[in-house]
Amino acid sequence: MKQVKRVVQSKIKGVTRWALWLCLVTPCFVFGQERGVTSENRLFHIERSKNRNMVCYDVNVVDGKLDTKKPLEVYWVNQEEKPGQVNGLSAIEKRFAYGYKTVSRGDDYSEVTLTAYPGRVLMVKQHASGYICTVEIDGVPAILKKLYVQAKAGNSLSVEYVELFGIAIDSGEELSERVTNKEK
């Protein structure tokens, strides 16, 4: 399928959050194919250029229904020192890097924002194939699969860009959108 890419110049607020996020986030995804620990509840994950560890976001289902107050379970999957080891997030990681905030909810959906990237609203909801997380990617409604953070050369605390990857809901087309930081 044709991959759609568009570089979006965007002034990213909270550069400190981006720097902290970059320090903690991790890569291991080849689009359409995950390496390492998988989960049937996986919605998306975050990876970065620095190492292969990843932060995973799974749907939180209680008694067969979405927990709309706490719709996501977030955890680390180690891909380097102890491959496959799963760890929870620390309080600092939740507060400044990988946490999320529920901004609205209904009986069967939750809208959330990621702590390190509050500019996009993500919707967790049930779909024919199970639970999905949707977001606009390049202006198109899509199922989010991953976020990738690229560090600037020579400075792993500075973000060159963040790229979102997903699948268009209507067409099934693979989508990506690169968001760059104008502040250099």
Side-chain angles (χ1 to χ4, degrees):
M1 295 188 150
K2 182 180 175 186
Q3 185 176 20
V4 178
K5 284 193 174 188
R6 179 176 163 208
V7 176
V8 177
Q9 295 292 326
S10 172
K11 184 173 184 179
I12 300 171
K13 295 181 180 180
V15 174
T16 304
R17 283 186 179 168
W18 279 100
L20 182 57
W21 190 33
L22 177 64
C23 290
L24 302 172
V25 187
T26 56
C28 71
F29 186 91
V30 176
F31 193 64
Q33 179 181 1
E34 264 184 275
R35 291 181 277 166
V37 176
T38 59
S39 166
E40 66 183 41
N41 293 331
R42 176 83 36 85
L43 295 174
F44 65 94
H45 69 272
I46 298 174
E47 58 185 53
R48 67 176 182 151
S49 60
K50 187 175 181 180
N51 64 30
R52 293 177 32 120
N53 299 328
M54 67 181 185
V55 178
C56 299
Y57 293 77
D58 289 1
V59 65
N60 185 21
V61 177
V62 177
D63 296 327
K65 293 183 75 174
L66 176 66
D67 181 342
T68 59
K69 291 181 182 179
K70 187 182 173 208
L72 300 173
E73 290 291 334
V74 186
Y75 57 93
W76 280 100
V77 174
N78 189 309
Q79 298 288 349
E80 292 192 351
E81 301 84 27
K82 298 177 183 178
Q85 182 176 351
V86 175
N87 297 307
L89 300 180
S90 71
I92 291 173
E93 290 168 337
K94 286 179 186 176
R95 182 176 167 113
F96 295 107
Y98 307 114
Y100 67 93
K101 178 181 178 182
T102 302
V103 294
S104 74
R105 61 193 174 105
D107 290 338
D108 58 355
Y109 75 91
S110 290
E111 291 184 333
V112 301
T113 57
L114 299 178
T115 301
Y117 193 35
R120 299 273 170 116
V121 175
L122 312 176
M123 182 181 288
V124 178
K125 63 183 179 180
Q126 193 161 21
H127 188 262
S129 61
Y131 286 93
I132 60 173
C133 180
T134 63
V135 66
E136 280 199 7
I137 298 177
D138 198 28
V140 177
I143 299 169
L144 181 63
K145 292 298 182 182
K146 82 168 181 174
L147 290 99
Y148 176 79
V149 179
Q150 176 66 48
K152 288 186 180 177
N155 183 358
S156 65
L157 297 179
S158 185
V159 174
E160 185 174 331
Y161 63 84
V162 174
E163 198 157 11
L164 292 88
F165 292 87
I167 308 292
I169 293 172
D170 291 339
S171 69
E173 183 176 29
E174 292 181 357
L175 300 172
S176 69
E177 178 182 357
R178 185 175 292 184
V179 180
T180 60
N181 187 352
K182 285 184 176 181
E183 301 173 6
K184 297 193 182 204

